[in-house]
């Protein structure tokens, strides 16, 4: 068995040659490398597959033996200080490595077709492979130094991938925003690392935990300073996992290509913060204030992310806020002490959200057949609708991912989210109420995304979009019409494009992607114009979604919690895969491992959580189900025109919620005014002080020196007449002074 662990170092280096070879090829043989660019997808996927197979083998060994392996290479600088590098293989590492590799392979496979028409294809795969290498190095790190090095490399890769289309100003601004926001957390992480090194004298996790526990046990630490250092460590996780208040970068990060969102911003990089808290869990658990703070930040993020997702029109931004909310659930579980449940939800959410992001990429890909390469239009849910008949496989996959995220059994997220909700009642009833309410909001906004995207008619083909009563019924009832225009048409019948696009016309044939697939078209006999419709993605994009569907259906089986379906071993331990892998692990809410959830309690809790989810689905269906599909619903539309006191009050409440959600809770505006505006005002003040005061003093000294020098030069010219004149002038001044003094003394 140990010989397997001896070769575990290959996890760090197997995928590293791909970005190096691509860079060398572009530098030395640019023409040949670009001609053979599609071949680079194969080594990327193949090498990551090797790591996946090896990591699965390690995980099986971990389940069977629960053996922790650590290899250390020491570099001694002097007798008092040495740097140690190595890798650590434990249950947490094995879980994350399997997760990174499985999702990574699916995303790379998907990206080969998705990015095939992009000029930056090689750059994309180089960045993605380097990111996978950095992420694998992060989860295998055995000390704080390695953690921080790979932490920064992951952040650098995120910056490069978010700004992949850097010629678009909005993408360039998004990557800078992500970089700066994460630097705030990373600086705190660095200070926290230095603080704990000052306390314990070690960077190694296992040594640091032992030393720190001994210091706490003997009461040899300053708890105020320790709490501050622990908070600084946690600030790194806040930024990386998009927790409040450093969450503002994640929605803007959707400006990168969709496969990046599926890998980095759903399954791996944003999970790095959860991994860091889980890795440092033995450290945080002895500092109660930090555990309470982690739970508080988690519950705030849970609720905030769900409310901000309610009114988003961009499909990827909706999923980004959903990711933020679900990461809050994981952070809440860690703060409550439910270590196993947090990792369980990390696993189930990663596969479900990766499926949803890849599904959104397929939707965007199909919409580009109509609107061209324009993210503002191809990602706008208002312009979608009726895609069920055009992309049925994507629709089915997206629906299953949506049901999983809503917490509908038997899909993956149901099992993990249900456990988090149950544990929250044991921790704090207030937190539990917020978590349960947010579960209903999750079902609401996810089915809002699904219904606006796939049900009804293809809204992009509506003519006179702004003037039709259909458009006037906004997503939140903000611009309601008094009457329904009974003459509205579902498709334009003339040469004009829908009025929504009249200012900027995007030609499909001239877009960046240069799409060449055949379109399903309807020819107008009065014109040569051809209308294109969305179509299903290619097999290389559909296959990864189908694989992730299988994960979404069955990955929940690794952590089903109740014992009556599982036998108990002689030690009284649960035999579900995740519990066996993580045994022994600390759970503050269930310290007795023999306590199991009985059938009645499990069913009762499940019925309650599922009822909340179905309530959210029912409300979403009531508001967004496409009743406009037939002209027989005229009375329904006209009923919106009836105004009354209750209706007016309801509209005001809805508008407040809409404005809060659509404007991102005004948090970005607050940051722009307070921090960005404040820093700019400070910079202007410093510039004014530097230019007017400092430069003024220097220029004044220079000008004064100039005139003094000119005066001295004119006086000391060497002419006797000048000297006599100066002598007479000074004598005259002295005489006048003496005269005035004499007169003044005589008078008084």
């Amino acid at each position: 068995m140990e010989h397997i662990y001896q070769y575990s170092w290959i996890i760090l280096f197997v995928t590293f040659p791909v970005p190096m070879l691509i860079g060398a090829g572009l530098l030395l043989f640019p023409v040949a490398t670009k001609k053979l660019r599609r071949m680079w997808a194969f080594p990327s996927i193949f090498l990551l597959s090797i790591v996946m197979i090896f990591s699965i083998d390690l995980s099986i060994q971990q389940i069977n033996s629960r053996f922790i392996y650590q290899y250390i290479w020491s570099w001694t600088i002097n007798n008092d200080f040495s740097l140690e590098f190595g890798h650590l293989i434990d249950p947490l590492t094995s879980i994350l490595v399997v997760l990174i590799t499985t999702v990574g392979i699916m995303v790379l496979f998907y990206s080969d077709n998705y990015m095939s028409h992009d000029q930056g294809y090689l750059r994309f795969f180089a960045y993605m492979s380097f990111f996978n290498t950095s992420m694998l190095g992060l989860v295998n790190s055995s000390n704080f130094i390695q953690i921080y090095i790979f932490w920064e490399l992951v952040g650098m890769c995120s910056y490069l991938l978010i700004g992949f289309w850097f010629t678009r100003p909005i993408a360039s601004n998004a990557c800078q925003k992500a970089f700066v926001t994460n630097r705030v957390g990373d600086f705190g992480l660095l200070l926290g690392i230095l603080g704990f090194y000052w306390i314990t004298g070690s960077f190694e996790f296992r040594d640091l935990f032992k030393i720190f526990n001994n210091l706490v046990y003997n009461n040899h630490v300053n708890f105020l300073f320790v709490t501050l250092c622990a908070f600084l460590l946690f600030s790194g996780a806040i930024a990386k996992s998009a927790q409040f208040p450093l969450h503002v970068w994640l929605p803007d990060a959707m400006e990168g290509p969709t496969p990046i969102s599926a890998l980095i911003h759903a399954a791996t990089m944003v999970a790095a913060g959860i991994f860091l808290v889980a890795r440092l869990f033995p450290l945080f658990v002895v500092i109660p204030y930090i555990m309470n703070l982690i739970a508080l930040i988690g519950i705030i993020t849970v609720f905030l992310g769900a409310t901000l997702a309610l009114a988003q029109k961009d499909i990827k931004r909706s999923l980004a806020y959903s990711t933020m909310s679900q990461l809050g659930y994981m952070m809440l579980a860690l703060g409550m002490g439910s270590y196993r449940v947090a990792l369980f939800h990390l696993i189930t959410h990663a596969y479900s959200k990766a499926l949803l992001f890849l599904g959104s990429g397929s939707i965007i890909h199909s919409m580009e057949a109509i609107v061209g390469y324009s993210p503002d239009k191809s990602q706008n849910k208002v312009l979608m609708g009726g895609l069920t008949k055009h992309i049925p496989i994507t629709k089915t996959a997206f629906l299953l991912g949506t049901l999983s995220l809503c917490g509908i059994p038997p899909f993956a997220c149901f099992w993990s989210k249900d456990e988090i909700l149950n544990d929250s009642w044991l921790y704090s009833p207030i937190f539990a109420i917020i978590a349960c309410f947010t579960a209903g909001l999750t079902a609401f906004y996810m089915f809002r995304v699904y219904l606006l995207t796939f049900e009804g008619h293809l809204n992009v083909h509506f003519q006179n979009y702004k003037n039709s009563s259909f458009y006037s019924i906004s997503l939140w009832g903000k611009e309601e019409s008094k009457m329904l225009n009974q003459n509205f048409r579902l498709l334009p019948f003339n040469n004009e494009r829908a009025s929504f696009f009249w200012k900027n016309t995007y030609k499909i044939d001239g877009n960046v992607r240069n799409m060449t697939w055949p379109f399903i078209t309807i020819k107008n006999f009065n014109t040569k114009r051809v209308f294109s419709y969305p179509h299903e993605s290619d097999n290389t994009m559909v296959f990864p979604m189908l694989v992730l569907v299988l994960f979404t259906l069955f990955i929940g089986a690794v952590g089903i919690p109740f014992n009556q379906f599982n036998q108990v071993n002689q030690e009284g331990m649960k035999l579900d895969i995740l519990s066996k892998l993580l045994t022994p692990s600390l759970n503050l809410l269930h310290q007795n491992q023999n306590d199991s959830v009985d059938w009645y309690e499990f069913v009762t809790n499940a019925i309650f959580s599922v009822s909340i989810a179905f309530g959210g689905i029912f409300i979403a269906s009531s508001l967004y189900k496409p009743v406009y599909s037939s002209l027989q619903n005229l009375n329904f539309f006209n009923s919106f025109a009836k105004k009354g006191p209750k209706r007016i009050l309801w509209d005001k409440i809805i508008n407040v919620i809409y404005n809060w959600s659509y404007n991102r809770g005004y948090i970005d505006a607050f940051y722009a005014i307070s921090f960005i505006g404040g820093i700019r005002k400070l910079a202007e003040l410093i510039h004014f002080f530097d230019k007017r005061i400092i430069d003024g003093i220097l220029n004044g000294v220079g000008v004064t020196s100039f005139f003094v020098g000119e005066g001295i030069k004119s006086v000391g010219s060497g002419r006797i007449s000048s000297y006599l004149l100066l002598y007479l002038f000074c004598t005259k001044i002295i005489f006048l002074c003496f005269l005035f003094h004499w007169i003044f003394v005589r008078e008084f």
Side-chain angles (χ1 to χ4, degrees):
M1 178 189 67
E2 282 197 34
H3 71 279
I4 297 177
Y5 290 97
Q6 291 175 359
Y7 295 102
S8 58
W9 58 268
I10 69 170
I11 293 175
L12 303 176
F13 300 105
V14 168
T15 58
F16 187 64
V18 175
M20 295 295 101
L21 291 175
I22 292 177
L26 289 174
L27 182 64
L28 301 176
F29 312 102
V31 178
T33 304
K34 290 178 180 179
K35 285 184 178 180
L36 302 174
R37 64 178 195 155
R38 293 295 296 274
M39 65 166 283
W40 288 103
F42 174 75
S44 301
I45 297 172
F46 176 72
L47 294 178
L48 195 59
S49 300
I50 295 175
V51 179
M52 181 193 69
I53 295 171
F54 193 82
S55 62
I56 291 174
D57 191 14
L58 283 177
S59 298
I60 294 173
Q61 297 294 335
Q62 287 282 315
I63 293 171
N64 295 331
S65 64
R66 297 190 291 274
F67 181 76
I68 297 178
Y69 178 84
Q70 182 175 5
Y71 177 81
I72 298 296
W73 176 73
S74 181
W75 178 25
T76 302
I77 296 178
N78 55 46
N79 294 331
D80 298 326
F81 182 75
S82 65
L83 293 176
E84 295 180 338
F85 299 93
H87 58 276
L88 173 65
I89 304 297
D90 65 347
L92 179 61
T93 299
S94 60
I95 290 173
L96 266 296
V97 171
V98 172
L99 187 64
I100 293 167
T101 53
T102 51
V103 176
I105 289 170
M106 293 300 103
V107 171
L108 288 175
F109 198 88
Y110 179 96
S111 303
D112 178 49
N113 187 276
Y114 190 91
M115 301 297 295
S116 60
H117 305 285
D118 198 287
Q119 295 180 354
Y121 179 91
L122 284 174
R123 183 163 52 92
F124 178 85
F125 272 88
Y127 290 168
M128 290 286 275
S129 297
F130 190 60
F131 170 80
N132 287 327
T133 302
S134 302
M135 197 67 200
L136 291 171
L138 175 66
V139 300
N140 279 276
S141 298
S142 62
N143 57 63
F144 269 129
I145 295 178
Q146 285 179 255
I147 279 276
Y148 191 76
I149 292 173
F150 287 111
W151 190 273
E152 292 300 322
L153 289 177
V154 166
M156 184 195 70
C157 294
S158 174
Y159 170 80
L160 294 173
L161 289 168
I162 294 171
F164 183 79
W165 290 317
F166 54 87
T167 55
R168 297 177 58 234
I170 190 171
S172 177
N173 293 334
C175 69
Q176 293 177 35
K177 186 176 183 179
F179 185 82
V180 172
T181 306
N182 277 276
R183 292 292 72 71
V184 175
D186 294 354
F187 182 66
L189 176 63
L190 178 60
L191 293 180
I193 291 173
L194 295 177
F196 273 102
Y197 177 76
W198 186 77
I199 294 171
T200 62
S202 176
F203 288 115
E204 294 295 322
F205 292 132
R206 302 177 74 181
D207 295 339
L208 186 146
F209 296 156
K210 292 178 182 178
I211 296 171
F212 183 73
N213 286 332
N214 291 333
L215 291 175
V216 172
Y217 180 77
N218 296 319
N219 199 20
H220 289 166
V221 294
N222 185 336
F223 266 95
L224 181 61
F225 180 72
V226 165
T227 303
L228 176 61
C229 293
F231 171 73
L232 291 173
L233 289 177
F234 179 55
S235 65
I238 291 176
K240 196 70 76 177
S241 288
Q243 301 292 290
F244 174 83
L246 299 179
H247 65 279
V248 292
W249 66 271
L250 184 59
D252 292 327
M254 298 300 107
E255 295 301 328
T258 305
I260 293 171
S261 302
L263 179 64
I264 294 183
H265 305 126
T268 54
M269 193 196 84
V270 291
I274 308 298
F275 164 79
L276 180 65
V277 177
R279 175 62 75 202
L280 301 179
F281 193 76
L283 189 69
F284 291 147
V285 78
V286 296
I287 310 173
Y289 293 110
I290 288 298
M291 295 296 288
N292 294 333
L293 178 64
I294 293 173
L296 178 62
I297 294 294
I299 196 64
I300 292 174
T301 308
V302 164
F303 182 74
L304 183 64
T307 55
L308 298 186
L310 292 176
Q312 298 299 320
K313 296 180 181 179
D314 188 297
I315 186 172
K316 288 174 66 177
R317 286 183 187 269
S318 298
L319 296 178
Y321 280 118
S322 172
T323 300
M324 170 184 162
S325 181
Q326 299 304 311
L327 290 168
Y329 273 114
M330 302 171 206
M331 204 65 78
L332 171 64
L334 288 170
M336 294 187 300
S338 300
Y339 179 85
R340 171 192 167 278
V341 177
L343 294 182
F344 189 20
H345 195 58
L346 173 65
I347 297 169
T348 58
H349 170 262
Y351 291 110
S352 300
K353 189 55 64 67
L355 172 61
L356 289 170
F357 267 113
L358 294 187
S360 69
S362 179
I363 294 167
I364 294 167
H365 218 55
S366 64
M367 288 297 295
E368 287 174 350
I370 305 172
V371 300
Y373 179 69
S374 173
D376 292 337
K377 298 177 177 64
S378 62
Q379 296 174 196
N380 193 341
K381 291 178 291 187
V382 176
L383 305 183
M384 298 177 189
L387 296 181
T388 299
K389 60 183 178 181
H390 300 297
I391 48 176
I393 300 177
T394 300
K395 176 255 184 184
T396 303
F398 199 91
L399 176 60
L400 295 179
T402 301
L403 291 173
S404 175
L405 207 65
C406 293
I408 305 300
F411 301 101
C413 286
F414 160 75
W415 306 102
S416 55
K417 185 184 289 188
D418 187 65
E419 288 196 58
I420 294 176
L421 296 179
N422 294 340
D423 287 351
S424 64
W425 288 106
L426 300 175
Y427 181 78
S428 170
I430 297 175
F431 282 18
I433 292 171
I434 297 174
C436 291
F437 179 72
T438 306
L441 289 181
T442 302
F444 172 81
Y445 68 71
M446 285 308 303
F447 258 81
R448 172 180 177 268
V449 173
Y450 171 78
L451 293 172
L452 289 175
T453 304
F454 293 101
E455 300 298 327
H457 299 281
L458 190 59
N459 299 327
V460 72
H461 281 161
F462 272 77
Q463 184 180 354
N464 298 325
Y465 198 75
K466 280 275 187 184
N467 298 326
S468 68
S469 63
F470 166 72
Y471 182 81
S472 63
I473 300 177
S474 73
L475 300 183
W476 282 82
K478 288 195 67 176
E479 301 175 0
E480 295 177 356
S481 63
K482 294 184 178 180
M483 291 293 293
L484 178 69
N485 182 4
Q486 300 185 23
N487 296 322
F488 78 92
R489 292 172 290 189
L490 300 181
L491 291 174
F493 293 106
N494 56 14
N495 284 341
E496 298 179 359
R497 184 182 287 268
S499 61
F500 186 82
F501 299 104
W502 75 274
K503 289 185 179 180
N504 294 307
T505 303
Y506 289 82
K507 295 182 180 181
I508 297 173
D509 295 333
N511 62 47
V512 175
R513 293 185 181 277
N514 192 22
M515 302 170 195
T516 58
W517 52 68
F519 295 140
I520 302 173
T521 58
I522 298 177
K523 294 184 178 180
N524 192 324
F525 293 100
N526 297 327
T527 179
K528 294 182 180 180
R529 186 171 182 85
V530 175
F531 290 108
S532 58
Y533 282 91
H535 64 92
E536 191 60 80
S537 301
D538 293 342
N539 293 335
T540 51
M541 291 175 62
V542 171
F543 175 74
M545 289 192 290
L546 296 180
V547 174
L548 290 173
V549 164
L550 296 178
F551 278 108
T552 302
L553 287 172
F554 301 112
I555 198 64
V558 302
I560 296 178
F562 43 88
N563 283 349
Q564 56 274 15
F565 292 151
N566 296 321
Q567 296 179 354
V568 181
N569 64 8
Q570 295 177 356
E571 299 176 357
M573 302 291 184
K574 300 176 184 178
L575 289 183
D576 64 85
I577 297 174
L578 189 60
S579 295
K580 189 175 181 181
L581 180 63
L582 295 176
T583 299
S585 65
L586 181 61
N587 191 322
L588 301 183
L589 299 177
H590 303 282
Q591 296 186 14
N592 188 357
Q593 293 285 348
N594 294 324
D595 292 340
S596 61
V597 181
D598 60 24
W599 174 252
Y600 175 78
E601 184 179 357
F602 172 77
V603 172
T604 304
N605 295 334
I607 290 175
F608 177 71
S609 62
V610 172
S611 299
I612 294 173
F614 274 116
I617 293 172
F618 174 76
I619 296 174
S621 300
S622 301
L623 293 176
Y624 299 106
K625 194 169 178 63
V627 293
Y628 54 82
S629 58
S630 173
L631 294 178
Q632 297 176 358
N633 296 294
L634 297 179
N635 293 331
F636 174 79
F637 281 108
N638 289 329
S639 66
F640 281 94
K642 298 178 181 179
K643 294 283 184 179
K646 293 183 178 180
R647 177 67 185 174
I648 294 174
L649 178 61
W650 175 252
D651 286 346
K652 290 182 179 179
I653 295 174
I654 292 297
N655 287 339
V656 169
I657 299 174
Y658 175 87
N659 291 330
W660 163 268
S661 178
Y662 191 75
N663 293 297
R664 306 185 185 186
Y666 303 102
I667 296 173
D668 290 68
F670 172 75
Y671 286 169
I673 295 172
S674 59
F675 293 108
I676 300 176
I679 291 173
R680 286 180 176 174
K681 291 295 183 183
L682 179 62
E684 291 174 0
L685 179 62
I686 294 174
H687 179 263
F688 173 81
F689 182 80
D690 180 67
K691 188 174 182 180
R692 301 297 181 184
I693 307 300
I694 303 300
D695 287 354
I697 294 173
L698 295 176
N699 294 335
V701 171
V703 171
T704 304
S705 302
F706 172 77
F707 283 109
V708 171
E710 289 295 322
I712 294 174
K713 184 178 71 173
S714 61
V715 170
S717 59
R719 297 179 181 180
I720 298 177
S721 59
S722 298
Y723 295 157
L724 290 175
L725 180 63
L726 178 62
Y727 173 75
L728 292 175
F729 179 76
C730 292
T731 303
K732 186 176 181 180
I733 291 177
I734 294 172
F735 175 78
L736 290 175
C737 291
F738 177 77
L739 180 64
F740 287 143
H741 177 71
W742 181 76
I743 295 172
F744 181 78
V745 171
R746 187 174 181 181
E747 290 290 334
F748 296 96

